[in-house]
Amino acid sequence: DPVIELTGARKTYRSGDIEFEALRGIDFGIQAGEYAAIMGPSGSGKSTLMNALGCLDTLTSGSYRLDGVDVEELRDDELAVIRNQKIGFVFQQFHLLPELTAWQNVALPLMYGRVPLAERRERAAVALTKVGLGDRLDNRPGELSGGQQQRVAVARALVTEPTMLLADEPTGNLDTTSTEEVLALFDELHAAGRTIVLITHEQEVGARAERIVWVRDGVIDRDEATRR
Ligand code: ADP
Ligand code: ADP
């Protein structure tokens, strides 16, 4: 089943009299269980596309169906609900709260659903165990390596069991060892059937996905299977 169906997606930025068309008619789909990378040079429209896919911004025209829901038809409050239910975000900066422990950071998204404390802790522990940090539940971010912090962020993204993981330059802030740690985790999640969309400008990182969608000047330039 398609998780993402983007049809004729356009995005125009306006400031005063000046208009800039950052997305100029994008069509593509991503199936459940797929691991796709979106790549392209700086200024090609990756962030704009990521914001649309993540329901962080709406399109100027075209349609976006996320897990069967017509996103462009939704009001802002409905959009927020869909975003929280269906998407687990991972960013370049880990965005962990430094004064909270690993499990408390991971449990944060569960605050929305009024899940009882004991259950929040248990679900956070399960998510942290899945990313290989079952022995780091009570550590604060400052006590963890960059790779470990990003794995905590992945656990936080997955604790609500979203439809897809949307990772924007997740290795942009990491050294080689930590990058490998995070990419190995993505391999595992993919093998377990997770849908992963990875935005990156690093060729070696994108090549770890099973498919690369290349964006250039707001259109899809190439859409290819990787050899892996
Ligand atoms: P990328 O992530 O690939 O670097 P972006 O999606 O950030 O590309 O930007 C695509 C193009 O749209 C760039 O030319 C950028 O300058 C322009 N752009 C992005 N955001 C805005 C904005 N808020 N207002 C005007 N132009 C923008
Ligand atoms: P990235 O590094 O992810 O490609 P950018 O540095 O291109 O991001 O953009 C950072 C922020 O500035 C984004 O929110 C983008 O929408 C905005 N932006 C980019 N280009 C412009 C522009 N020409 N005018 C206004 N805002 C812009």
Side-chain angles (χ1 to χ4, degrees):
D1 297 348
V3 170
I4 286 175
E5 292 174 273
L6 212 52
T7 313
R10 291 178 177 271
K11 179 70 183 184
T12 305
Y13 292 112
R14 287 192 182 80
S15 44
D17 292 345
I18 301 167
E19 285 194 357
F20 184 84
E21 204 174 24
L23 300 181
R24 300 186 295 131
I26 294 222
D27 300 278
F28 75 92
I30 289 179
Q31 301 294 314
E34 238 186 317
Y35 180 10
I38 294 173
M39 297 197 63
S42 182
S44 58
K46 296 186 302 297
S47 300
T48 304
L49 185 56
M50 142 95 194
N51 288 342
L53 294 178
C55 303
L56 297 163
D57 200 1
T58 52
L59 297 168
T60 307
S61 67
S63 86
Y64 176 29
R65 279 173 79 81
L66 170 61
D67 203 17
V69 177
D70 274 313
V71 169
E72 299 307 312
E73 309 296 318
L74 302 180
R75 299 189 311 262
D76 283 354
D77 56 329
E78 295 169 322
L79 201 61
V81 171
I82 288 293
R83 184 166 62 230
N84 291 324
Q85 282 177 352
K86 299 198 182 289
I87 303 171
F89 290 96
V90 177
F91 302 100
Q92 177 169 351
Q93 314 294 337
F94 321 123
H95 295 308
L96 299 175
L97 297 182
E99 69 277 16
L100 299 185
T101 64
W103 85 258
Q104 287 170 333
N105 268 286
V106 171
L108 279 176
L110 300 174
M111 301 296 247
Y112 277 102
R114 300 204 179 93
V115 183
L117 176 66
E119 188 186 333
R120 288 205 300 271
R121 193 179 194 290
E122 177 56 24
R123 285 174 63 179
V126 169
L128 280 164
T129 302
K130 283 186 187 159
V131 302
L133 294 173
D135 57 348
R136 288 282 189 267
L137 304 185
D138 297 316
N139 287 97
R140 292 194 166 74
E143 300 166 325
L144 302 172
S145 73
Q148 288 174 329
Q149 290 184 55
Q150 192 61 300
R151 284 192 282 149
V152 172
V154 172
R156 181 187 53 192
L158 295 177
V159 77
T160 54
E161 296 290 333
T163 309
M164 71 165 163
L165 189 65
L166 189 54
D168 188 11
E169 302 282 1
T171 59
N173 229 9
L174 301 177
D175 63 19
T176 314
T177 308
S178 289
T179 293
E180 181 50 38
E181 209 174 292
V182 168
L183 291 178
L185 172 59
F186 283 14
D187 286 346
E188 265 179 53
L189 295 172
H190 176 225
R194 287 276 172 199
T195 308
I196 306 174
V197 180
L198 170 65
I199 289 100
T200 182
H201 66 272
E202 294 176 81
Q203 178 86 52
E204 339 61 280
V205 172
R208 294 288 286 267
E210 58 183 331
R211 170 184 173 195
I212 301 181
V213 179
W214 292 89
V215 181
R216 186 176 200 86
D217 295 334
V219 295
I220 292 179
D221 199 27
R222 270 181 296 150
D223 188 340
E224 61 189 16
T226 55
R227 273 168 283 148
R228 66 184 299 271

